[in-house]
PDB file of all heavy atoms in Angstrom:
ATOM      1  N   THR A  24      78.052  65.391  54.469  1.00 76.00           N
ATOM      2  CA  THR A  24      78.609  64.368  53.583  1.00 76.00           C
ATOM      3  C   THR A  24      77.506  63.905  52.643  1.00 76.00           C
ATOM      4  O   THR A  24      76.328  64.145  52.878  1.00 76.00           O
ATOM      5  CB  THR A  24      79.134  63.179  54.413  1.00 76.00           C
ATOM      6  OG1 THR A  24      78.123  62.781  55.341  1.00 76.00           O
ATOM      7  CG2 THR A  24      80.388  63.567  55.164  1.00 76.00           C
ATOM      8  N   LEU A  34      62.949  63.829  47.244  1.00 95.00           N
ATOM      9  CA  LEU A  34      62.597  65.070  47.931  1.00 95.00           C
ATOM     10  C   LEU A  34      62.317  66.169  46.916  1.00 95.00           C
ATOM     11  O   LEU A  34      61.325  66.905  47.020  1.00 95.00           O
ATOM     12  CB  LEU A  34      63.755  65.478  48.848  1.00 95.00           C
ATOM     13  CG  LEU A  34      63.475  66.514  49.925  1.00 95.00           C
ATOM     14  CD1 LEU A  34      62.516  65.974  50.975  1.00 95.00           C
ATOM     15  CD2 LEU A  34      64.784  66.944  50.589  1.00 95.00           C
ATOM     16  N   ARG A  59      67.355  76.218  43.083  1.00 98.00           N
ATOM     17  CA  ARG A  59      68.576  76.812  42.511  1.00 98.00           C
ATOM     18  C   ARG A  59      69.806  76.563  43.387  1.00 98.00           C
ATOM     19  O   ARG A  59      70.923  76.492  42.883  1.00 98.00           O
ATOM     20  CB  ARG A  59      68.386  78.317  42.311  1.00 98.00           C
ATOM     21  CG  ARG A  59      67.366  78.687  41.260  1.00 98.00           C
ATOM     22  CD  ARG A  59      67.817  78.354  39.855  1.00 98.00           C
ATOM     23  NE  ARG A  59      68.991  79.109  39.430  1.00 98.00           N
ATOM     24  CZ  ARG A  59      69.427  79.169  38.173  1.00 98.00           C
ATOM     25  NH1 ARG A  59      68.785  78.506  37.227  1.00 98.00           N
ATOM     26  NH2 ARG A  59      70.480  79.877  37.856  1.00 98.00           N
ATOM     27  N   GLN A  81      55.578  91.910  40.496  1.00 90.00           N
ATOM     28  CA  GLN A  81      55.640  93.285  39.994  1.00 90.00           C
ATOM     29  C   GLN A  81      54.242  93.870  39.825  1.00 90.00           C
ATOM     30  O   GLN A  81      54.010  95.034  40.141  1.00 90.00           O
ATOM     31  CB  GLN A  81      56.418  93.326  38.676  1.00 90.00           C
ATOM     32  CG  GLN A  81      57.910  93.053  38.857  1.00 90.00           C
ATOM     33  CD  GLN A  81      58.687  93.087  37.555  1.00 90.00           C
ATOM     34  OE1 GLN A  81      58.167  93.492  36.524  1.00 90.00           O
ATOM     35  NE2 GLN A  81      59.941  92.656  37.597  1.00 90.00           N
ATOM     36  N   LEU A 107      61.784  86.984  50.026  1.00 96.00           N
ATOM     37  CA  LEU A 107      62.082  85.716  49.360  1.00 96.00           C
ATOM     38  C   LEU A 107      62.164  85.898  47.843  1.00 96.00           C
ATOM     39  O   LEU A 107      62.967  85.245  47.169  1.00 96.00           O
ATOM     40  CB  LEU A 107      61.017  84.681  49.706  1.00 96.00           C
ATOM     41  CG  LEU A 107      61.117  84.041  51.092  1.00 96.00           C
ATOM     42  CD1 LEU A 107      59.875  83.204  51.392  1.00 96.00           C
ATOM     43  CD2 LEU A 107      62.373  83.180  51.211  1.00 96.00           C
ATOM     44  N   GLY A 124      62.752  97.721  40.059  1.00 94.00           N
ATOM     45  CA  GLY A 124      63.528  97.092  41.118  1.00 94.00           C
ATOM     46  C   GLY A 124      63.781  98.032  42.276  1.00 94.00           C
ATOM     47  O   GLY A 124      63.677  97.642  43.446  1.00 94.00           O
ATOM     48  N   ARG A 133      61.212 100.398  53.637  1.00 95.00           N
ATOM     49  CA  ARG A 133      60.162 101.052  54.431  1.00 95.00           C
ATOM     50  C   ARG A 133      59.565 100.090  55.448  1.00 95.00           C
ATOM     51  O   ARG A 133      59.266 100.465  56.588  1.00 95.00           O
ATOM     52  CB  ARG A 133      59.059 101.598  53.518  1.00 95.00           C
ATOM     53  CG  ARG A 133      59.393 102.925  52.864  1.00 95.00           C
ATOM     54  CD  ARG A 133      58.149 103.623  52.334  1.00 95.00           C
ATOM     55  NE  ARG A 133      57.432 102.820  51.346  1.00 95.00           N
ATOM     56  CZ  ARG A 133      57.706 102.837  50.049  1.00 95.00           C
ATOM     57  NH1 ARG A 133      58.693 103.604  49.580  1.00 95.00           N
ATOM     58  NH2 ARG A 133      57.005 102.096  49.211  1.00 95.00           N
ATOM     59  N   TYR A 155      61.729  87.053  62.567  1.00 90.00           N
ATOM     60  CA  TYR A 155      62.092  86.186  61.444  1.00 90.00           C
ATOM     61  C   TYR A 155      61.996  86.979  60.138  1.00 90.00           C
ATOM     62  O   TYR A 155      62.940  87.002  59.336  1.00 90.00           O
ATOM     63  CB  TYR A 155      61.160  84.972  61.419  1.00 90.00           C
ATOM     64  CG  TYR A 155      61.444  83.982  60.303  1.00 90.00           C
ATOM     65  CD1 TYR A 155      62.206  82.843  60.546  1.00 90.00           C
ATOM     66  CD2 TYR A 155      60.940  84.170  59.020  1.00 90.00           C
ATOM     67  CE1 TYR A 155      62.466  81.925  59.530  1.00 90.00           C
ATOM     68  CE2 TYR A 155      61.196  83.260  58.001  1.00 90.00           C
ATOM     69  CZ  TYR A 155      61.955  82.146  58.255  1.00 90.00           C
ATOM     70  OH  TYR A 155      62.215  81.247  57.255  1.00 90.00           O
ATOM     71  N   HIS A 188      63.620  85.340  75.119  1.00 62.00           N
ATOM     72  CA  HIS A 188      62.460  84.623  74.579  1.00 62.00           C
ATOM     73  C   HIS A 188      62.599  84.308  73.097  1.00 62.00           C
ATOM     74  O   HIS A 188      61.804  83.550  72.547  1.00 62.00           O
ATOM     75  CB  HIS A 188      61.174  85.428  74.799  1.00 62.00           C
ATOM     76  CG  HIS A 188      61.126  86.710  74.006  1.00 62.00           C
ATOM     77  ND1 HIS A 188      61.520  87.919  74.537  1.00 62.00           N
ATOM     78  CD2 HIS A 188      60.736  86.970  72.734  1.00 62.00           C
ATOM     79  CE1 HIS A 188      61.368  88.866  73.617  1.00 62.00           C
ATOM     80  NE2 HIS A 188      60.887  88.311  72.523  1.00 62.00           N
ATOM     81  N   MET A 201      67.766  82.528  60.993  1.00 96.00           N
ATOM     82  CA  MET A 201      67.607  83.565  59.976  1.00 96.00           C
ATOM     83  C   MET A 201      68.357  84.835  60.374  1.00 96.00           C
ATOM     84  O   MET A 201      68.986  85.494  59.527  1.00 96.00           O
ATOM     85  CB  MET A 201      66.126  83.865  59.752  1.00 96.00           C
ATOM     86  CG  MET A 201      65.853  84.741  58.536  1.00 96.00           C
ATOM     87  SD  MET A 201      66.483  84.037  56.972  1.00 96.00           S
ATOM     88  CE  MET A 201      65.300  82.712  56.729  1.00 96.00           C
ATOM     89  N   ASN A 213      80.464  93.451  54.673  1.00 96.00           N
ATOM     90  CA  ASN A 213      80.950  94.652  55.352  1.00 96.00           C
ATOM     91  C   ASN A 213      80.126  95.899  54.988  1.00 96.00           C
ATOM     92  O   ASN A 213      80.664  96.981  54.765  1.00 96.00           O
ATOM     93  CB  ASN A 213      82.429  94.896  55.025  1.00 96.00           C
ATOM     94  CG  ASN A 213      83.100  95.794  56.060  1.00 96.00           C
ATOM     95  OD1 ASN A 213      82.705  95.811  57.231  1.00 96.00           O
ATOM     96  ND2 ASN A 213      84.109  96.548  55.636  1.00 96.00           N
ATOM     97  N   PRO A 310      76.301  83.657  43.915  1.00 97.00           N
ATOM     98  CA  PRO A 310      75.796  82.331  43.512  1.00 97.00           C
ATOM     99  C   PRO A 310      76.542  81.774  42.301  1.00 97.00           C
ATOM    100  O   PRO A 310      77.033  82.523  41.462  1.00 97.00           O
ATOM    101  CB  PRO A 310      74.324  82.612  43.177  1.00 97.00           C
ATOM    102  CG  PRO A 310      74.296  84.057  42.779  1.00 97.00           C
ATOM    103  CD  PRO A 310      75.341  84.736  43.623  1.00 97.00           C
ATOM    104  N   LYS A 333      37.510  55.945  55.324  1.00 78.00           N
ATOM    105  CA  LYS A 333      37.520  55.551  56.718  1.00 78.00           C
ATOM    106  C   LYS A 333      37.487  56.804  57.589  1.00 78.00           C
ATOM    107  O   LYS A 333      38.145  57.793  57.285  1.00 78.00           O
ATOM    108  CB  LYS A 333      38.788  54.750  57.017  1.00 78.00           C
ATOM    109  CG  LYS A 333      38.924  54.333  58.474  1.00 78.00           C
ATOM    110  CD  LYS A 333      40.264  53.667  58.725  1.00 78.00           C
ATOM    111  CE  LYS A 333      40.459  53.352  60.206  1.00 78.00           C
ATOM    112  NZ  LYS A 333      41.800  52.791  60.482  1.00 78.00           N
TER     113      LYS A 333
END
Side-chain angles (χ1 to χ4, degrees):
T24 49
L34 196 67
R59 293 291 296 192
Q81 290 180 10
L107 283 171
R133 280 198 301 273
Y155 181 98
H188 67 265
M201 191 58 73
N213 201 29
K333 178 186 175 184

